[in-house]
Amino acid sequence: MLSELDQILQKALQELETAKDESSLESWRIAHLGRSASLMLLFDQLGKINKEERPVVGRRANEVKQTLEAAFTKRIESLRQSTLQRSLQTERLDVTLPGRSLPLGRLHPATISMRAVIRAFGDMGFQVYRSPEAETDDYNFGLLNMPPHHPARDMWDTFYTSMPNVSLRPHTSPGQIHVMRQYATEPIRAILPGVCYRYEQISTRKETQFNQLEVLAVGKNITLADLKGTVSDFARRLLGQNIRTRFRASHFPFTEPSAEYDFECLLCQGKGCSVCAYTGWLEIGGCGMVHPIVLQNGGYDPGKFSGFAAGLGTERIMMLKHRIEDIRNFWANDMRFLEQF
Ligand SMILES: [Zn+2]
C-alpha cells in the first residue's frame, strides 16, 4: 500500500506540472484531491488493513495528501502571479501621464458685470424688476414724455418690428412706466436690468445689443441729494471707498433736472490717461429727477410724489474695469476673450 501511495504522489505531481491554466488546475484538484480520487478511496480502505500497518500507512497517506495540497496551492499562486504579470505587460498604464482635464464652465463677462451691479444696488435695498424687450411705441417713447415726432427720439436709433407700433426697446426706461403702474401709489426702489437694442453703426464702442440697468426710486420727499448719494454710494460699493463721482448738467425728456454722471478714472485714479482722454473722469451714465409728466403717466401725483432715475451700461463698467477696448468682444463668442474672466 505504501508503494501505491508513492505512485499516486508521483503521478499527481507530474500531471500538476502540465496544468497551464486555472481550469486545468481545477480538473487536477478534482482528480487527485476530490471525493473519488484514488488517494481518498485509499483512506476508506484503511480500516481493512491490519492494526500494525495501519498507523504507518495512515501517516503516509496524510503526508501525501498534505504534499499534494501544498503543491496545488503553490502552483495556483504562481499561475495567478504570471497572469498578473502578463496583463501588466500587455495593458500597461502610464500613471505619470496627466489626465484629461474637464473644461470648467464660467459666467459670461456681461453676466459677471451685471451681477456685480445688481448686488451693489441690492445691498442698498433696490429690487430687480423685469420688463419686456419688445414694447409698444407708447412705452418706448410716448409715456416717457416723447410724443410722436418729438426730436429727442432721434437719440435712440430704434429697431422696428413687422408688427405695427411695436419696437425693440432701445433703453430700459419703459420699465419705469411698468413698475410705477404696477405699484402706484406705493414707494418704489427698483432696478430694471436687461438687454437693449439699437440700430447702431457697429464700432469698438457701439453694438446693436447691450445690457443696461435702470434705477428708479419714487416716494415722498425724494430729492436730488438722494440721487447723488445713491450714485456715489453705488460707485463706492462697486469700486472701493476712495472713488470720486461728479455730475454734469444734461438733458433727457423723461427727467428734470437731468445730469450725466462720471466716475473717477479707474485706471489712472484721476491723474489722466489715454482711456479717460486725459480728463481723469469716465462717463458712466445719465440720471435725473423723474419728470412730472412721467410720474403722472406712471400713476403718481407729481404734487405729492417725486423720484429719481439713473441708467448705465453694464458692459461699459466691465470695459472700464478690465481695460477692454472693443465692445464687440462681448458677443463675438471668442473663447480667447471669454476665458480671461
Ligand atoms: Zn484715466
Side-chain angles (χ1 to χ4, degrees), residues 109-111 113-118 121 127-133 135 139-141 144 146 155-157 168-176 190-198 200 205-216 234 252 254 260-261 283-287 309-318 327 330-331:
T111 308
S113 183
M114 178 60 90
R115 288 194 181 177
V117 172
I118 288 177
F121 280 107
Q127 284 181 303
V128 172
Y129 185 90
R130 295 247 172 220
S131 65
E133 291 182 14
E135 294 276 15
Y139 275 93
N140 269 337
F141 299 108
L144 294 167
M146 283 181 279
M155 286 162 69
W156 292 271
D157 299 303
L168 297 181
R169 64 175 177 198
H171 52 174
T172 43
S173 304
Q176 288 189 25
I191 42 177
L192 316 151
V195 183
C196 301
Y197 305 87
R198 284 189 203 172
E200 296 275 13
R205 293 171 57 84
K206 284 182 175 170
E207 253 288 8
T208 51
Q209 69 172 79
F210 51 92
N211 279 289
Q212 229 183 31
L213 182 129
E214 188 106 352
V215 188
L216 177 70
F234 162 65
F252 301 105
F254 37 87
E260 304 261 4
Y261 62 96
E283 195 184 313
I284 301 296
C287 61
L312 63 123
T314 53
E315 279 97 17
R316 187 157 163 73
I317 299 276
M318 198 75 170
I327 197 170
F330 281 93
W331 311 112

Side-chain angles (χ1 to χ4, degrees), residues 265-282:
C265 179
L266 317 171
L267 301 165
C268 64
Q269 272 85 40
K271 289 182 197 81
C273 67
S274 60
V275 174
C276 58
Y278 301 96
T279 60
W281 296 95
L282 295 168

Side-chain angles (χ1 to χ4, degrees), residues 40 55 116 298:
M40 297 304 152

Side-chain angles (χ1 to χ4, degrees), residues 69-108:
E69 281 169 351
F72 174 77
T73 313
K74 199 176 159 198
R75 185 86 184 112
I76 202 156
E77 280 299 315
S78 80
L79 192 77
R80 280 175 186 164
Q81 276 299 324
S82 63
T83 309
L84 180 67
Q85 282 301 327
R86 206 177 317 122
S87 70
L88 284 176
Q89 289 291 328
T90 55
E91 297 155 33
R92 181 176 293 194
L93 184 71
D94 183 358
V95 291
T96 62
L97 195 71
R100 282 179 211 146
S101 63
L102 287 171
L104 205 59
R106 66 191 75 210
L107 291 177
H108 191 280

Side-chain angles (χ1 to χ4, degrees), residues 222-235:
I222 289 185
T223 68
L224 191 69
D226 296 311
L227 168 59
K228 198 145 196 276
T230 304
V231 168
S232 306
D233 199 18
F234 162 65

Side-chain angles (χ1 to χ4, degrees), residues 9 13 16 28 33 60-73:
L9 180 63
L13 289 177
L16 188 60
W28 181 91
L33 291 165
R60 184 61 189 147
N62 268 322
E63 278 170 12
V64 169
K65 184 169 175 258
Q66 280 161 11
T67 309
L68 289 182
E69 281 169 351
F72 174 77
T73 313

